[in-house]
């Protein structure tokens, strides 16, 4: 434990901006003083090595340079490892990390205004206390939070759902001791439950949200179906869905579907259908062991039947994302019932002429009323991360209590969520829909609080996707899912979380990797000195020096560090990592999902690299002979659009790929061809991703080719022309060979980028449907940043590195040329 | 090997290129350009549209009314000037640093034969093949221990040299005739002078391309600035704009207006540097 304290000592407190510069200087000085001896010894050592070799020339610049390099690097690394000192912060500063919430008025775009006001009010009543608010973003904000907490510079207080992994590692302060009995009674039981872990409560519930069933009343009216009431059961649901599904143009395919739903990792809206009889999802290690009577299997089969036998839900909906289903439900309005988060209520109200109702999930046929399927809810709250200072801990609890007080919770109405406290009362007066929804949500249940829940959920939902899309049978999907979940749980048992060991180990790792780096550097410089040195050599080193220093510190050092992890069973939650040799590599290679990802990446690269290299060359060659003005115009036209925000480009592609009104399917329909499920058909999705990469000639390479073409002496073209060569031959025999160094460069960089394809997949499909668009870097991202399994992620990176290196060497051999003209 | 005088004559001679059958070619190029430029036009177009039109399905292509509301909200409420300034400082520092360091290193790799050079070169190329996703966490921990988190330095320092730039400059400098340097040396230029007075000016087109790439890719970078910057006054434009977005329902009007505002400086940079494409070569010729 003392170890823990010692390590958390320096990292936990982060200096205020004003003192930061001073700290930096201090850090360096302290580090220097601390390690003068070590540094000196090491310096002597390095000099000793060098001196053994016969020296050539009196002024050996390169020796000097490499020694300087080594010393600078070493000092820097030492500062990195030990640079954790610095004055303690006043305990009265609370760092709160919060996500964007609601806009208070139509004019204000500040989504933190409420929190800022609350903070000001708190600071006013607590003199000497300041609350530092960090405004997170929804995009990747969770990643930032997790990484910062793992690096122990995170905030004191966070908002959101209970982070089980942090709780298991003892990083979250239990809050139950600070809650009075009345307060506990005042929270809705499911809300408090969401923060319960092994009989203790780790957070202050703030608000509740979750999904309920939404009914499009216009479609009910058009089909003449009576709107069911809140006591509806499965039979009513199925009967309504059947009658709502209508084929208006009698072409055999329905135009309006009774039901639509989402199966996406991280989305719980489909879970109540899978656990319909009110069985609470068993916690911890027995997710499916409880399932001997086959409930989940029967439910999944029932869902599959809705699609494939009853045809009341669209075939492709299991592959959809939120936006796709939303467009069908809210804009296209051809789906009558769908589960949505309650955020949809205010949003649907802004849709002109959209009449809707909300209902709880249908109860299983014949069930008693108590056994109805309860909605899965998400409860956000305030959590206090580990505090050594008793006063500050209390202060944080005080702030959490302040922020969750009933009077403040009435403002949650802006956000369209429900307060966590009973005494807040109804914050939606005169709003029948919200009151109904509140009733459903406040009796909901929370997903199992398990450290690896995100991974379990991903595996299961991916299998469900495959089963519902008809790619797999329900039995296979269930058994595959169960066995994968079993593996994860097995793994979790093997690695009970432990804090101190990993922290200590990371220190050792830093030292080992630093030693390796410096050793390698010494070796190289010794080898260099051993040879006959020259002025050219000295200048080469001089020219390389700045870039190499930046490289060593900010690239090679972290790289060595993380690569060493490939040979260990390191994970942030793991026990003291041990060297496991090639175990990580082996297990990664045995994993079918990774092999699928590797195959997809290969296919992607095999298509994209040649197509993009060639198209850039052709377009650049076309643009080159034009007038200056035209060239400038085209250069801009081909390059600039590529720099527009990725989100904008992704949105355009989504629109093009849209199954019902996208440009592609509209065009196909014009020619009487059936539409293609661009992103939801497992056989097509990868090709759609490839299409997004090759549809536009790449702007960057075109620019590079144009710059290179500029550098070719025009006399060479003239010479070719005099020889009577036609334009095509001239291009092929003069231009293309002369551009070889550029082509080599472009081919290599496109290859490297293609093997690292990530953004399109991340935004458009997130690896789905099933694993159809899974690629290596997406795997690495999930493994390293979401799961913190650095051992496995490093092993994957090693494999990727090897593959790219191989491809690069092959290209280098083919395209290398010594230019002579 | 070409004579020095010929190299001096490096100039664009579009007049010598025959302009036959250019009609078809230009039509093809225009078609490609239109396809390519479509998302950008769409971004600007929708940023002026009222919110209710943006949610319509199928998408309304021709809007009846236009509004400046998205821009007014964005510019009057958010500390957008501060964010833009931060982005600009970071991008400028990285661009200038890399132009200098990368061209120096590229020159060494292209022109100097030295032991270990090939290994070092491949080592640097090799780092391009490592996915950044794996480096982010160790690099972040380094920044934490150096107490650089929440300063612009954290966003700048790791970007000061890049394998892409080094590789790019090396490849370009390989195509510069070595007779240029020989001539310079005969004229009595030292190593540094040769680099500054001959190599850099002749490399101007490549430097311009690199500058555009660097500035724009850093302008757009999101994850790293988000990670190392903690407070609203150090945020960059991309991160700042993302704090204005809700989780479930993207505010498309604001999103597009933000993206449009963010892309304006990039157009500026592109236009400034794009002049160097042609000028650089002429400068090299004049120096001779």
């Amino acid at each position: 434990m003392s170890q823990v304290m010692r390590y958390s000592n320096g990292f936990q407190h982060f200096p205020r901006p004003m003192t930061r510069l001073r700290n930096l200087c201090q850090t360096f000085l302290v580090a220097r003083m601390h390690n003068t001896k070590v540094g000196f010894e090491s310096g002597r050592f390095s000099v000793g090595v060098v001196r053994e070799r016969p020296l050539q020339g009196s002024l050996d610049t390169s020796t000097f340079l490499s020694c300087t390099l080594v010393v600078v690097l070493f000092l820097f690394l030492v500062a990195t490892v030990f640079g954790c000192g610095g004055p303690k912060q006043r305990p009265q500063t609370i760092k709160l990390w919060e996500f964007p919430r609601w806009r208070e008025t139509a004019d204000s775009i500040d989504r933190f205004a409420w929190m800022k006001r609350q903070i000001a009010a708190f600071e006013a009543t607590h003199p000497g206390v300041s609350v530092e608010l960090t405004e997170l973003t929804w995009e990747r904000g969770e990643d930032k939070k997790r990484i910062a907490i793992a690096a122990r510079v995170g905030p004191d207080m966070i908002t959101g759902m209970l982070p089980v992994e942090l709780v298991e590692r003892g990083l979250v302060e239990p809050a139950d001791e600070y809650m009075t009995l009345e307060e506990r009674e005042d929270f809705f039981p499911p809300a408090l439950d969401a923060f319960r872990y092994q009989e203790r409560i780790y957070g202050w519930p703030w608000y509740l949200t979750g999904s309920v069933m939404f009914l499009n009343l216009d479609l009910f009216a058009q089909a003449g179906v009576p709107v069911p009431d809140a006591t509806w059961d499965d039979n009513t649901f199925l009967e309504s869905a059947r009658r709502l599904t209508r084929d208006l143009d009698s072409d055999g395919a329905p135009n309006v579907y009774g039901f639509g739903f989402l199966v996406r990792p991280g989305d719980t809206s489909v879970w109540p259908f899978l656990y319909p009889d009110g069985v609470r999802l068993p916690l911890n290690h027995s997710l499916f062991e409880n399932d001997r009577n086959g409930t989940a299997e029967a439910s999944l089969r029932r869902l599959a039947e809705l699609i494939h036998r009853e045809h009341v839900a669209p075939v492709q909906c299991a592959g959809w994302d939120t936006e796709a289903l939303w467009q069908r439900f809210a804009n296209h309005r051809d789906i009558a019932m769908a589960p949505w988060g309650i955020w949809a209520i205010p949003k649907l109200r802004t849709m002109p002429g959209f009449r809707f109702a909300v209902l709880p999930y249908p109860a299983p046929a014949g069930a008693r009323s108590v056994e109805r399927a309860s909605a899965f809810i998400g409860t956000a709250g305030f959590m206090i991360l580990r505090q050594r200072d008793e006063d500050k801990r209390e202060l944080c609890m005080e702030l959490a209590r302040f922020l969750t007080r009933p009077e403040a919770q009435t403002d949650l109405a802006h956000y369209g969520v429900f307060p966590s406290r009973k005494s807040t009362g109804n914050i939606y007066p005169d709003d029948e829909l919200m009151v109904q929804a509140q009733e459903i949500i406040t009796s909901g249940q929370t997903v199992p609080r398990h450290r690896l829940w995100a991974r379990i959920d991903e595996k299961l939902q991916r299998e469900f996707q495959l089963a519902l899309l008809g790619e797999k049978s329900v039995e296979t999907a269930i058994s595959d899912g169960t066995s994968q979940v079993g593996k994860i749980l097995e793994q979790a048992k093997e690695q009970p979380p432990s804090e101190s060991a990993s922290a200590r180990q990371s220190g050792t790792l830093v030292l080992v990797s630093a030693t390796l780096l410096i050793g390698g550097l010494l070796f190289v410089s010794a080898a260099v000195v051993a040879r006959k040195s020259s002025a050219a050599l000295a200048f080469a080193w001089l020219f390389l020096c700045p870039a190499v220093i930046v490289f060593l510190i900010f690239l090679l050092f972290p790289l060595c560090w993380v690569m060493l992890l490939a040979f260990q069973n390191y994970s942030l939650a793991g026990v003291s990592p041990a060297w496991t040799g090639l175990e990580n590599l082996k297990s990664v290679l045995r994993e079918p999902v990774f092999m699928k990802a590797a195959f997809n990446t290969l296919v992607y690269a095999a298509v994209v690299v040649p197509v993009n290299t060639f198209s850039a060359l052709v377009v650049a060659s076309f643009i080159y002979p034009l007038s200056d003005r035209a060239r400038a115009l085209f250069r801009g036209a081909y390059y600039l659009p590529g720099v527009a925000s990725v989100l904008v480009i992704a949105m355009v592609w989504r629109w093009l790929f849209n199954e019902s009104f996208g440009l592609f399917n509209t065009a196909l329909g014009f020619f009487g061809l059936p539409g293609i499920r661009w992103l939801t058909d497992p056989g097509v999705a990868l090709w759609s991703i490839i299409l997004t990469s090759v549809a536009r000639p790449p702007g960057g390479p075109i620019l590079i080719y144009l710059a290179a073409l500029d550098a070719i002496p025009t006399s060479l073209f003239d010479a070719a022309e005099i020889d009577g060569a036609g334009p095509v031959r001239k291009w092929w025999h003069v231009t293309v060979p002369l551009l070889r160094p550029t082509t080599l460069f472009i081919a290599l960089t496109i290859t490297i980028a293609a093997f690292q394809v990530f953004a399109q997949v991340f935004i458009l499909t997130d690896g789905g449907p099933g694993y159809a668009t899974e690629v290596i870097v997406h795997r690495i991202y999930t493994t390293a940043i979401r799961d913190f399994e650095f051992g496995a992620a490093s092993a994957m990176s090693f494999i990727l590195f090897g593959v790219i290196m191989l491809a690069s060497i092959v290209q280098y051999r083919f395209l290398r040329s010594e230019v002579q003209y | 090997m070409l004579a020095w005088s010929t190299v001096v004559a490096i100039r664009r001679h579009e007049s010598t290129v025959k302009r036959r059958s250019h009609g078809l070619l230009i039509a093809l190029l225009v078609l490609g350009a239109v396809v390519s430029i479509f998302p950008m036009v769409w971004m600007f177009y929708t940023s002026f549209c009222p919110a209710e039109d943006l949610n319509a399905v199928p998408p309304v292509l021709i809007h009846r009314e236009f509004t400046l509301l998205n821009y007014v909200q964005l510019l009057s409420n958010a500390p957008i000037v501060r964010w833009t300034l931060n982005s600009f400082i970071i991008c400028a520092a990285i661009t200038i640093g890399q132009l200098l360091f990368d061209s120096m290193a590229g020159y060494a790799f292209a022109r100097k034969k030295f032991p270990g050079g090939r290994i070092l070169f491949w080592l640097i190329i090799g780092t391009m093949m490592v996915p950044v996703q794996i480096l982010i966490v160790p690099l972040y921990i380094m920044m934490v221990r150096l107490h650089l988190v929440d300063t612009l330095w954290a966003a700048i320092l790791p970007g000061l040299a890049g394998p892409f730039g080094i590789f790019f400059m090396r490849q370009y400098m390989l195509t510069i005739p070595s007779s240029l340097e020989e001539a310079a040396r005969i004229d009595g230029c030292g190593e540094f002078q040769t680099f500054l007075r001959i190599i850099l000016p002749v490399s101007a087109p490549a430097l311009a391309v690199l500058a555009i790439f660097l500035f724009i890719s850093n302008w757009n970078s999101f994850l790293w600035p988000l990670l190392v910057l903690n407070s609203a006054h150090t945020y960059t434009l991309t991160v700042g704009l993302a704090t204005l977005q809700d989780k479930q329902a993207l505010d498309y009007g604001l999103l597009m207006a933000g993206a449009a505002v963010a892309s304006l400086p990039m157009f500026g940079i592109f236009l400034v540097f794009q002049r160097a494409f042609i000028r650089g070569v002429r400068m090299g010729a004049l120096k001779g």
Side-chain angles (χ1 to χ4, degrees):
Chain A
M1 197 56 199
S2 67
Q3 199 69 36
V4 180
M5 300 302 258
R6 201 164 64 77
Y7 264 94
S8 60
N9 183 14
F11 311 150
Q12 193 111 33
H13 296 287
F14 201 68
R16 293 167 63 79
M18 301 295 283
T19 57
R20 200 157 287 136
L21 188 66
R22 207 183 59 219
N23 285 343
L24 180 63
C25 302
Q26 274 177 354
T27 308
F28 273 109
L29 285 178
V30 169
R32 202 189 284 262
M33 267 151 49
H34 253 284
N35 298 284
T36 326
K37 265 183 256 165
V38 188
F40 181 64
E41 275 165 20
S42 154
R44 208 169 54 192
F45 171 69
S46 66
V47 171
V49 169
V50 169
R51 280 290 152 87
E52 274 172 28
R53 315 268 170 186
L55 273 175
Q56 274 131 19
S58 50
L59 178 75
D60 201 330
T61 329
S62 67
T63 315
F64 172 73
L65 273 177
S66 22
C67 285
T68 325
L69 253 181
V70 170
V71 172
V72 167
L73 183 70
F74 191 77
L75 280 178
F76 196 90
L77 293 181
V78 165
T80 311
V81 177
F82 294 99
C84 48
K88 270 199 209 164
Q89 213 171 7
R90 287 181 308 146
Q92 282 80 10
T93 301
I94 300 174
K95 282 178 292 176
L96 169 65
W97 286 19
E98 159 69 329
F99 288 95
R101 300 294 174 182
W102 58 88
R103 290 164 68 159
E104 299 215 298
T105 61
D107 285 339
S108 155
I109 55 172
D110 187 358
R111 292 182 184 270
F112 297 91
W114 181 85
M115 187 54 86
K116 284 174 187 164
R117 242 192 1 260
Q118 299 296 322
I119 287 175
F122 184 77
E123 284 173 342
T125 50
H126 294 74
V129 176
S130 76
V131 181
E132 249 178 53
L133 173 69
T134 289
E135 304 177 10
L136 294 177
T137 59
W138 285 111
E139 196 186 347
R140 310 263 185 123
E142 279 293 338
D143 293 338
K144 174 187 166 101
K145 203 167 85 180
R146 216 173 26 251
I147 292 173
I149 295 171
R152 292 164 195 82
V153 289
D156 301 311
M157 249 172 104
I158 51 173
T159 60
M161 309 229 270
L162 185 73
V164 180
E165 198 194 358
L166 299 182
V167 173
E168 284 195 352
R169 283 162 52 206
L171 288 177
V172 183
E173 295 283 354
D176 35 9
E177 286 167 21
Y178 295 86
M179 276 181 202
T180 62
L181 206 59
E182 294 87 66
E183 277 169 342
R184 255 196 244 200
E185 291 288 309
D186 195 29
F187 288 116
F188 286 108
L192 210 53
D193 224 32
F195 290 92
R196 203 187 296 277
Y197 184 76
Q198 294 182 345
E199 300 313 309
R200 300 213 61 178
I201 293 163
Y202 285 92
W204 294 75
W206 183 23
Y207 67 78
L208 289 88
T209 172
S211 12
V212 296
M213 287 292 283
F214 280 71
L215 279 59
N216 182 334
L217 293 182
D218 289 324
L219 290 180
F220 271 80
Q222 282 165 26
V225 181
V227 179
D229 63 13
T231 59
W232 66 332
D233 65 3
D234 249 4
N235 293 335
T236 330
F237 167 72
L238 187 57
E239 190 49 42
S240 309
R242 276 188 195 137
R243 288 173 59 189
L244 286 161
T245 305
R246 287 173 302 151
D247 180 8
L248 298 176
D249 52 11
S250 352
D251 62 350
N255 303 90
V256 176
Y257 286 96
F259 181 50
F261 58 95
L262 281 180
V263 186
R264 299 281 286 184
D267 185 298
T268 50
S269 61
V270 77
W271 285 95
F273 284 98
L274 295 167
Y275 286 87
D277 38 7
V279 179
R280 309 246 151 179
L281 270 180
L283 288 185
N284 292 336
H285 295 201
S286 53
L287 196 65
F288 273 95
E289 284 162 26
N290 253 16
D291 197 38
R292 301 230 184 277
N293 52 2
T295 323
E297 193 173 330
S299 318
L300 187 60
R301 181 165 298 119
R302 207 165 53 97
L303 270 183
E305 280 171 1
L306 288 182
I307 296 176
H308 297 291
R309 207 180 63 195
E310 305 282 349
H311 304 290
V312 297
V315 183
Q316 61 275 28
C317 74
W320 281 348
D321 60 5
T322 319
E323 206 171 307
L325 182 60
W326 178 260
Q327 280 177 349
R328 294 290 291 264
F329 182 76
N331 300 115
H332 221 55
R333 301 183 190 177
D334 60 356
I335 287 174
M337 298 185 281
W340 285 112
I342 50 164
W343 52 265
I345 295 178
K347 206 179 168 197
L348 285 173
R349 285 193 170 135
T350 65
M351 304 262 162
F354 193 89
R355 296 192 309 123
F356 63 100
V358 296
L359 281 184
Y361 284 86
R368 280 168 298 146
S369 60
V370 282
E371 279 181 342
R372 63 171 328 106
S374 55
F376 279 78
I377 58 167
T379 310
F382 297 95
M383 280 138 298
I384 286 94
L385 297 181
R386 196 172 57 197
Q387 302 293 329
R388 284 171 312 112
D389 191 326
E390 177 68 32
D391 295 341
K392 187 170 169 189
R393 190 186 313 149
E394 233 179 294
L395 203 61
C396 290
M397 295 289 174
E398 190 59 39
L399 176 60
R401 177 180 291 121
F402 182 78
L403 292 171
T404 53
R405 70 193 194 282
E407 306 88 74
Q409 289 197 338
T410 45
D411 291 332
L412 288 171
H414 288 290
Y415 202 30
V417 294
F418 303 116
S420 61
R421 279 166 175 260
K422 295 171 191 161
S423 59
T424 308
N426 182 10
I427 61 172
Y428 298 100
D430 327 314
D431 191 339
E432 196 53 36
L433 273 179
M434 285 308 266
V435 174
Q436 282 171 11
Q438 177 158 8
E439 222 162 90
I440 303 166
I441 296 296
T442 47
S443 60
Q445 56 174 326
T446 309
V447 295
R449 268 128 287 161
H450 189 280
R451 168 157 60 92
L452 300 177
W453 173 253
R455 289 165 69 182
I456 295 172
D457 175 67
E458 186 200 331
K459 297 283 180 215
L460 288 177
Q461 300 234 28
R462 289 278 169 93
E463 294 298 331
F464 294 164
Q465 276 183 346
L466 290 174
L468 294 175
L469 286 168
E471 299 286 312
K472 259 186 187 181
S473 74
V474 170
E475 293 82 17
T476 335
I478 285 280
S479 72
D480 285 359
T482 316
S483 78
Q484 290 186 42
V485 170
K487 257 187 240 160
I488 294 174
L489 294 176
E490 205 53 45
Q491 203 186 339
K493 270 185 214 157
E494 280 169 17
Q495 305 178 341
S498 142
E499 172 73 359
S500 55
S502 57
R504 193 165 49 229
Q505 195 70 17
S506 74
T508 322
L509 268 177
V510 171
L511 283 182
V512 170
S513 40
T515 319
L516 272 185
L517 251 187
I518 291 171
L521 208 70
L522 277 177
F523 179 78
V524 170
S525 42
V528 165
V529 174
R531 300 206 183 183
K532 193 168 183 281
S533 62
S534 64
L537 177 79
F539 277 107
W541 270 109
L542 212 60
F543 272 96
L544 285 172
C545 203
V548 165
I549 288 179
V550 175
F551 256 77
L552 284 177
I553 296 172
F554 294 110
L555 212 74
L556 286 182
F557 173 62
L559 192 63
C560 284
W561 182 359
V562 85
M563 281 302 167
L564 281 176
L565 296 176
F567 304 103
Q568 296 190 320
N569 57 355
Y570 177 94
S571 78
L572 220 72
V575 287
S576 164
W579 293 92
T580 52
L582 296 176
E583 209 42 55
N584 274 328
L585 277 175
K586 275 188 209 154
S587 69
V588 163
L589 284 174
R590 271 198 303 263
E591 198 187 322
V593 175
F594 180 79
M595 293 317 282
K596 173 81 179 157
F599 177 74
N600 287 344
T601 312
L602 272 178
V603 171
Y604 178 89
V607 178
V608 169
V609 174
V611 170
N612 273 358
T613 314
F614 191 71
S615 65
L617 178 60
V618 169
V619 171
S621 308
F622 278 171
I623 295 177
Y624 175 67
L626 302 177
S627 71
D628 275 357
R629 192 175 289 266
R631 284 205 312 165
L633 202 72
F634 279 119
R635 218 164 15 211
Y638 278 99
Y639 178 67
L640 282 176
V643 309
S645 159
V646 185
L647 273 179
V648 176
I649 294 172
M651 274 169 53
V652 173
W653 277 109
R654 267 169 204 277
W655 176 58
L656 294 176
F657 283 139
N658 191 295
E659 279 157 33
S660 37
F661 53 79
L663 192 66
F664 290 161
N665 276 3
T666 312
L668 286 176
F670 184 75
F671 293 109
L673 296 167
I676 294 175
R677 289 152 43 199
W678 296 96
L679 292 175
T680 55
D681 185 335
V684 178
L686 181 64
W687 295 98
S688 303
I689 296 282
I690 290 175
L691 182 66
T692 62
S693 307
V694 299
R696 212 173 62 81
I702 291 177
L703 231 57
I704 296 174
Y705 267 129
L706 282 172
L709 280 165
D710 268 333
I712 296 177
T714 358
S715 51
L716 288 180
F717 294 117
D718 299 343
E721 204 139 340
I722 293 163
D723 288 352
V728 177
R729 282 191 54 191
K730 201 173 75 185
W731 180 72
W732 185 249
H733 289 290
V734 181
T735 318
V736 174
L738 282 175
L739 285 174
R740 264 196 163 187
T742 316
T743 306
L744 168 66
F745 172 78
I746 287 172
L748 273 188
T749 46
I750 291 183
T751 307
I752 291 170
F755 274 104
Q756 297 188 6
V757 54
F758 173 69
Q760 299 98 307
V761 172
F762 189 67
I763 294 173
L764 286 177
T765 61
D766 205 18
Y771 296 99
T773 55
E774 196 65 81
V775 290
I776 294 181
V777 174
H778 190 252
R779 245 16 264 164
I780 293 176
Y781 173 82
T782 334
T783 319
I785 296 193
R786 193 195 69 198
D787 301 338
F788 270 93
E789 300 278 350
F790 280 100
S794 300
M796 289 180 197
S797 306
F798 252 121
I799 296 167
L800 179 64
F801 176 84
V803 172
I804 301 180
M805 197 47 133
L806 212 67
S808 305
I809 289 173
V810 169
Q811 282 179 335
Y812 193 77
R813 293 261 169 238
F814 270 107
L815 294 169
R816 180 179 52 173
S817 66
E818 301 300 326
V819 184
Q820 294 279 325
Y821 53 79
Chain B
M1 199 66 78
L2 233 78
W4 172 233
S5 56
T6 325
V7 181
V8 170
I10 293 172
R11 243 180 306 136
R12 297 231 33 263
H13 276 287
E14 63 264 20
S15 57
T16 61
V17 179
K18 295 282 184 288
R19 287 171 179 274
R20 284 171 311 206
S21 68
H22 270 191
L24 181 70
L25 198 147
I26 290 181
L28 274 177
L29 279 179
V30 168
L31 184 72
V34 167
V35 170
S36 171
I37 215 161
F38 175 70
M40 187 130 271
V41 174
W42 197 62
M43 172 182 81
F44 278 108
Y45 184 63
T46 45
S47 68
F48 291 105
C49 297
E52 50 269 28
D53 280 17
L54 296 179
N55 289 321
V57 165
V60 181
L61 286 186
I62 291 128
H63 296 278
R64 297 272 153 69
E65 50 176 322
F66 290 94
T67 170
L68 281 175
L69 186 71
N70 296 320
Y71 286 94
V72 171
Q73 286 191 343
L74 190 68
L75 296 174
S76 60
N77 275 291
I80 201 161
V81 177
R82 178 83 225 187
W83 295 338
T84 313
L85 190 69
N86 289 337
S87 277
F88 204 84
I89 293 172
I90 291 174
C91 293
I94 289 180
T95 308
I96 294 169
Q98 275 215 31
L99 284 186
L100 186 66
F101 294 169
D102 289 354
S103 55
M104 281 165 69
Y107 179 61
F109 282 127
R111 281 295 185 255
K112 307 291 172 210
K113 295 267 180 289
F114 59 99
R118 187 173 284 259
I119 296 174
L120 197 60
F121 177 66
W122 274 101
L123 196 68
I124 287 175
I125 300 300
T127 57
M128 279 207 286
M129 301 169 191
V130 180
V132 260
Q133 282 81 359
I134 190 113
L135 286 179
I136 276 178
V137 174
L139 203 55
Y140 177 71
I141 294 177
M142 266 179 78
M143 288 299 166
V144 168
R145 309 224 175 145
L146 290 170
H147 295 283
L148 290 177
V149 174
D150 207 18
T151 63
L152 296 188
W153 287 111
I156 294 171
L157 284 177
L160 279 183
F164 177 86
I166 294 176
F167 187 22
F168 179 62
M169 290 317 294
R170 173 189 182 261
Q171 292 308 100
Y172 188 85
M173 284 168 178
L174 278 178
T175 65
I176 298 174
S178 48
S179 47
L180 263 179
E181 291 147 80
E182 283 158 23
R185 218 154 283 147
I186 292 166
D187 288 351
C189 285
E191 287 278 351
F192 271 110
Q193 276 191 322
T194 315
F195 177 71
L196 280 179
R197 300 225 173 140
I198 307 294
I199 300 296
L200 278 190
V202 172
S203 308
L207 288 172
V209 172
L210 188 59
I212 291 174
F213 283 176
L214 287 171
F215 197 93
I216 287 175
S217 68
N218 284 294
W219 190 265
N220 279 333
S221 85
F222 180 77
L223 186 57
W224 182 245
L226 171 71
L227 211 56
V228 294
L229 303 174
N230 274 341
S231 42
H233 66 268
T234 55
Y235 275 167
T236 60
L237 194 57
T238 42
V239 177
L241 289 175
T243 64
L244 304 178
Q245 288 296 330
D246 187 22
K247 187 186 192 180
Q248 297 293 352
L250 284 181
D251 191 337
Y252 284 115
L254 210 55
L255 183 79
M256 292 300 176
V261 169
S263 65
L264 287 180
M266 294 196 282
F267 292 149
I269 290 291
F270 184 82
L271 290 179
V272 168
F273 280 105
Q274 116 129 350
R275 294 184 179 177
F277 284 106
I278 305 138
R279 208 172 50 191
V281 179
R282 289 197 182 131
M283 218 157 69
L286 281 176
K287 283 269 152 104

